[in-house]
Amino acid sequence: PVPGGGPAHSRLSMPTHASVHGSIAYQTPEPQRKPVNVKSIRPPRLVSELRVERREEVKVRSERNAKEILDEKKRRDRQRRQEEADANISSTPFARGHLTEFEPFNLESVQRHEVCQMELEQKRREALGPSPPKRVITKAPGEITQPRPFHLESDFRGERARQEFQEKVDREEAEQEEERKFRARPIARFKNNASQHRPPPKPLAQPFSPELSMKRRSQQRKEYDEAAELRREEDVLNKCMAEEQKEAELDAEMQ
């Protein structure tokens, strides 16, 4: 038995670990866990999606309203045209079976205009007098123009160029034919001995020592050093003479 009464198998699920208290071993029960109801997490609804849906709804509604208004306008136009056509048919005389017959008429102004034109034409003829008879000029049929033969300068130039080119081709062919013929060439004969015409032998080249710039520069450097040494000696000598002269002057002043 476990502390608290009751059978051990009714309070314990499965043994986990044993605790020793004195000489009796006790088993601690495992705590029972309640099942967790896992709910599906739905994504948040954004305001931008609502705006898009509202915009689409407004667009569809406006298109539907515009289409309804346009259909209503077309229906009213058809109805109005039908009513006007019915009214015109009922008001025309053709609908009642009567035809309009026009009576012939003449305007007095047209008759006066024709009389005035005739009087003006008669006065003009009287002022001009009788017209002279018309002269009938008869012209003898001319002869048919006969074309004269002509020659273009370009034809002459072309013919001359063709002749020159043909002459050149013939001349080159004759030269090539002449060059293709074989001719024996005799050996040249010399009256004098061939040895007399030989040039005299050239003397052999004599080697010589090259003049190096190093030697020339070393000589120049040597001369420069000697001149510098002389200048230094002259400077030292001048200084010594100046000091001696100054000392002599001081001695003369002291005496």
Side-chain angles (χ1 to χ4, degrees):
V2 294
H9 61 80
S10 63
R11 300 292 299 272
L12 299 176
S13 59
M14 60 182 295
T16 57
H17 63 279
S19 61
V20 180
H21 183 69
S23 62
I24 302 173
Y26 297 96
Q27 292 181 353
T28 57
E30 185 180 359
Q32 296 181 359
R33 297 180 181 180
K34 295 182 179 180
V36 180
N37 296 329
V38 180
K39 297 182 180 180
S40 61
I41 300 174
R42 288 180 291 181
R45 191 153 179 97
L46 302 177
V47 181
S48 58
E49 296 179 358
L50 298 176
R51 290 201 195 101
V52 173
E53 292 178 0
R54 293 194 192 107
R55 190 179 296 110
E56 292 295 333
E57 291 177 0
V58 171
K59 184 178 179 181
V60 172
R61 195 182 304 113
S62 61
E63 290 178 355
R64 185 169 57 252
N65 294 339
K67 186 176 181 181
E68 291 177 357
I69 293 170
L70 184 60
D71 294 342
E72 183 66 21
K73 185 177 180 181
K74 290 181 179 179
R75 187 183 63 77
R76 290 180 182 178
D77 292 343
R78 287 196 299 269
Q79 186 177 359
R80 180 176 54 80
R81 287 196 296 270
Q82 186 66 27
E83 292 176 356
E84 291 178 355
D86 296 341
N88 292 334
I89 291 172
S90 62
S91 62
T92 54
F94 298 100
R96 297 191 296 270
H98 299 288
L99 297 177
T100 304
E101 296 180 359
F102 298 96
E103 297 179 357
F105 63 93
N106 294 322
L107 298 176
E108 295 181 359
S109 60
V110 177
Q111 296 177 0
R112 289 196 301 268
H113 179 69
E114 293 177 356
V115 173
C116 184
Q117 289 293 334
M118 292 174 64
E119 292 178 354
L120 291 175
E121 184 66 22
Q122 187 177 0
K123 289 181 181 179
R124 187 179 63 81
R125 290 177 180 177
E126 292 177 355
L128 293 176
S131 57
K134 295 182 179 180
R135 296 178 57 187
V136 180
I137 301 174
T138 57
K139 186 176 181 181
E143 297 179 356
I144 298 175
T145 305
Q146 298 295 334
R148 292 181 297 177
F150 62 93
H151 301 282
L152 298 176
E153 293 292 334
S154 58
D155 296 339
F156 292 113
R157 291 196 297 270
E159 186 65 25
R160 186 167 57 253
R162 282 192 294 271
Q163 291 178 2
E164 293 177 357
F165 179 74
Q166 188 64 30
E167 291 176 359
K168 182 178 179 182
V169 170
D170 297 341
R171 186 170 57 256
E172 291 179 356
E173 289 179 356
E175 291 176 357
Q176 292 176 3
E177 186 68 23
E178 189 71 20
E179 290 176 358
R180 281 195 291 268
K181 292 180 180 179
F182 176 75
R183 292 187 180 85
R185 296 180 181 179
I187 299 174
R189 294 181 180 181
F190 299 99
K191 295 180 181 180
N192 299 329
N193 191 5
S195 61
Q196 295 180 0
H197 298 281
R198 293 179 180 177
K202 293 184 179 180
L204 298 176
Q206 298 296 332
F208 62 93
S209 178
E211 184 179 358
L212 301 177
S213 299
M214 180 179 63
K215 295 180 180 179
R216 179 173 50 81
R217 287 198 297 270
S218 62
Q219 184 66 21
Q220 293 177 356
R221 183 67 185 179
K222 183 178 180 180
E223 294 177 357
Y224 175 78
D225 293 340
E226 292 176 357
E229 186 67 23
L230 290 175
R231 286 195 298 273
R232 283 196 295 272
E233 291 178 358
E234 289 178 357
D235 293 340
V236 171
L237 183 60
N238 293 333
K239 288 181 180 179
C240 293
M241 292 177 65
E243 290 177 358
E244 290 178 358
Q245 187 177 0
K246 187 180 292 184
E247 289 178 359
E249 291 178 355
L250 290 174
D251 292 342
E253 290 179 356
M254 291 177 64
Q255 291 176 2

